[in-house]
């Protein structure tokens, strides 16, 4: 195995013809440079430099050795520079996981803008409603919605979401508007992945089990059913904000509206956040704040 000790010092001396200038270039002492070069000559069993009080010159062997080593040292310096730049310049692959619908609606457009702006970065976006293990899956960044489970992951809030219970004007005209949580049992409720809706009652969190004719794991399908007058629905704002503004859906039970929840960027605490991941997180936070 090649021994690099003393090689960089020798090349610096050979290039500058001075131990003092070589020490300045390497940010070390003249004595350290001299010791390293002497140790190199001893290991090679050959004299590389002629030293006098006035100047330093290369021996014949030193010239041959310098010609070979100069390119090696330059290559090593370039390799170190490349690795260093990776820590400051965003480049390489970022693997991201996010929920399907939210990812399609809000994250994918922003990530596409990010790729346009940073051509040296690649992104693998995995849309799934399963909560992947970041370390086992090799994922750099996970986007999660709502309440977070306790974990060793570091969380950064990117944005927020608000859930509403709403129905179409036609449904409310036919069945009436509920004014208390207890009245939900008398209504058709459109059921999502779970059959529990969350509310805030007298500053206390409260969960209500609901039931109805339709159960579906698609927020868009539930939204469509609500617009058709098939029942009440509880959905986050990014599904129904336009419908609430246009009047196609009307909020009910606003006095029991649940707390605003976070939209989070999660990454492993055991992994140092690289510039490319940090930059993407900042980009998403800024983009989602404008949405």
């Amino acid at each position: 195995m090649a021994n690099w000790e003393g090689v960089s010092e020798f090349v610096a001396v050979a290039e500058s013809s001075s131990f003092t200038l070589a020490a300045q270039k390497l940010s070390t002492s003249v004595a350290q440079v001299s010791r390293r070069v002497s140790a190199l000559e001893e290991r090679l069993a050959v004299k590389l430099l002629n030293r006098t009080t006035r100047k330093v010159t290369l021996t014949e062997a030193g010239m041959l050795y310098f010609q070979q080593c100069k390119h090696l040292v330059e290559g090593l310096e370039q390799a170190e520079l490349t690795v260093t730049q990776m820590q400051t310049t965003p480049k390489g692959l970022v693997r991201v996981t996010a929920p399907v619908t939210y990812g399609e609606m809000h994250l994918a457009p922003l990530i596409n803008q990010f790729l346009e702006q940073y051509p040296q970065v690649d992104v693998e976006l995995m849309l799934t409603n399963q909560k992947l293990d970041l370390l086992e899956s090799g994922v750099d960044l996970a986007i999660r919605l709502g309440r977070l489970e306790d974990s060793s992951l570091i969380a950064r809030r990117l944005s927020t979401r608000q859930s509403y219970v709403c129905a179409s004007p036609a449904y409310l005209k036919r069945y009436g508007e509920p004014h208390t949580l207890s009245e939900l049992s008398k209504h058709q409720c459109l059921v999502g992945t779970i059959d529990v809706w969350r509310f805030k009652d007298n500053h206390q969190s409260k969960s209500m089990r609901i039931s109805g004719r339709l159960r579906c794991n698609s927020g868009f399908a539930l939204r469509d059913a609500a617009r058709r007058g098939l029942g009440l629905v509880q959905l986050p704002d990014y599904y129904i904000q336009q419908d609430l503004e246009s009047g196609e859906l009307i909020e009910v039970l606003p006095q029991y509206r649940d707390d605003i929840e976070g939209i989070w960027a999660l990454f492993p605490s055991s992994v140092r956040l690289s510039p490319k991941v940090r930059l993407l997180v900042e980009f998403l936070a800024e983009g989602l704040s404008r949405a």
Side-chain angles (χ1 to χ4, degrees):
M1 181 180 294
N3 190 335
W4 283 87
E5 186 174 355
V7 174
S8 296
E9 289 82 358
F10 165 73
V11 169
V13 172
E15 288 178 329
S16 62
S17 300
S18 167
F19 279 87
T20 300
L21 294 177
Q24 292 175 357
K25 177 183 178 181
L26 299 175
S27 301
T28 188
S29 66
V30 174
Q32 176 76 349
V33 172
S34 180
R35 282 195 297 269
R36 290 286 183 89
V37 172
S38 295
L40 175 63
E41 289 178 317
E42 184 176 347
R43 190 173 75 249
L44 297 174
V46 65
K47 188 175 183 180
L48 300 173
L49 299 171
N50 291 314
R51 304 166 177 81
T52 69
T53 55
R54 303 181 63 179
K55 63 179 180 179
V56 178
T57 59
L58 291 167
T59 65
E60 182 179 3
M63 179 61 71
L64 292 173
Y65 193 67
F66 171 67
Q67 291 172 349
Q68 296 292 323
C69 289
K70 184 176 185 297
H71 301 297
L72 297 176
V73 171
E74 289 175 348
L76 179 62
E77 290 174 349
Q78 183 59 49
E80 291 180 349
L81 179 62
T82 300
V83 172
T84 301
Q85 288 179 336
M86 284 183 65
Q87 302 307 309
T88 57
T89 303
K91 62 174 61 176
L93 176 65
V94 182
R95 304 184 77 227
V96 183
T97 182
V100 177
T101 302
Y102 190 80
E104 290 175 340
M105 294 177 64
H106 295 285
L107 296 177
L110 287 174
I111 287 175
N112 292 339
Q113 293 175 28
F114 180 83
L115 291 173
E116 290 176 337
Q117 190 167 334
Y118 298 97
Q120 296 187 72
V121 179
D122 301 328
V123 174
E124 181 180 347
L125 178 59
M126 294 165 282
L127 299 181
T128 174
N129 293 328
Q130 295 180 348
K131 293 183 178 180
L132 302 179
D133 184 292
L134 272 61
L135 293 176
E136 289 184 1
S137 305
V139 172
D140 300 297
L141 177 66
I143 307 300
R144 301 271 168 84
L145 312 179
R147 293 173 172 84
L148 295 178
E149 301 173 355
D150 292 335
S151 72
S152 60
L153 299 175
I154 297 175
R156 159 79 187 275
R157 193 164 86 164
L158 301 177
S159 184
T160 60
R161 70 173 186 177
Q162 176 71 68
S163 291
Y164 299 91
V165 177
C166 53
S168 70
Y171 177 88
L172 297 177
K173 182 177 180 180
R174 182 176 181 183
Y175 296 101
E177 179 180 345
H179 296 284
T180 65
L181 296 182
S182 61
E183 293 178 54
L184 286 175
S185 61
K186 302 175 183 178
H187 282 267
Q188 287 293 324
C189 296
L190 304 170
V191 186
T193 306
I194 58 174
D195 59 356
V196 172
W197 288 355
R198 292 198 299 263
F199 298 94
K200 204 76 170 182
D201 187 7
N202 291 324
H203 306 290
Q204 298 292 322
S205 295
K206 188 169 185 178
S207 297
M208 294 286 296
R209 193 167 299 278
I210 49 90
S211 62
R213 295 171 57 202
L214 175 66
R215 177 188 291 268
C216 183
N217 63 352
S218 166
F220 285 119
L222 296 175
R223 168 180 174 259
D224 183 69
R227 291 174 59 175
R228 293 174 182 272
L230 294 178
L232 303 171
V233 70
Q234 186 180 62
L235 286 171
D237 47 16
Y238 49 85
Y239 284 104
I240 55 173
Q241 190 66 52
Q242 292 183 350
D243 296 322
L244 292 174
E245 293 172 358
S246 68
E248 290 191 68
L249 291 176
I250 298 174
E251 183 185 9
V252 300
L253 302 171
Q255 69 275 26
Y256 298 104
R257 190 186 301 158
D258 196 19
D259 289 334
I260 292 175
E261 297 179 323
I263 295 170
W264 308 90
L266 302 181
F267 33 87
S269 59
S270 59
V271 179
R272 184 172 179 267
L273 201 61
S274 66
K276 59 189 177 185
V277 176
R278 185 182 300 109
L279 189 65
L280 178 56
V281 170
E282 295 297 333
F283 191 91
L284 292 176
E286 182 180 354
L288 292 173
S289 69
R290 298 193 304 264

